[in-house]
């Protein structure tokens, strides 16, 4: 699972991904960088922009699917959060995990 990032500096865009590989360790990997279309004369840049953004979208959707599958498995009692990510890797003061029962409505 990854966290995705988009950095825009003027007319330049960079796409990044990060994943948790160790105790509070998130390496940032540059996926791609490209120039943004800022005038009609640069319209030929649009296909490359969409290709790069689509690649980032693919990573984000894949991560969302993995999170959903993990949460469904955990909700069925087959796997605990601690088995997926060691609790020592998670900053306790920045997040809280709890089970919320949905209403039958």
């Amino acid at each position: 699972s990854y966290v995705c990032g988009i950095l825009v500096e003027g007319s330049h865009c960079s796409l990044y991904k990060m994943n948790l590989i160790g105790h509070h360790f998130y390496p940032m990997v540059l996926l791609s960088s490209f120039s943004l279309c800022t005038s009609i004369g640069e319209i030929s840049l649009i296909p490359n922009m969409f290709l790069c953004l689509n690649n980032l979208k693919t990573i984000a959707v894949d991560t969302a699917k993995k999170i959903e599958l993990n949460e469904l498995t955990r909700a069925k009692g087959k796997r605990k959060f601690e088995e997926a990510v060691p609790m020592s890797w998670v900053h306790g003061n920045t997040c809280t995990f709890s089970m919320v029962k949905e209403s039958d409505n």
Side-chain angles (χ1 to χ4, degrees), residues 49-84:
M49 290 170 38
F50 278 106
L51 180 65
C52 293
L53 290 168
N54 191 53
N55 290 339
L56 190 68
K57 181 192 104 175
T58 301
I59 293 169
V61 168
D62 183 53
T63 297
K65 287 178 182 177
K66 287 178 182 177
I67 291 169
E68 181 179 34
L69 179 62
N70 187 54
E71 288 300 307
L72 289 171
T73 303
R74 192 167 62 94
K76 292 177 183 176
K78 295 181 180 178
R79 185 176 185 194
K80 295 182 180 179
F81 176 76
E82 294 81 9
E83 295 171 2

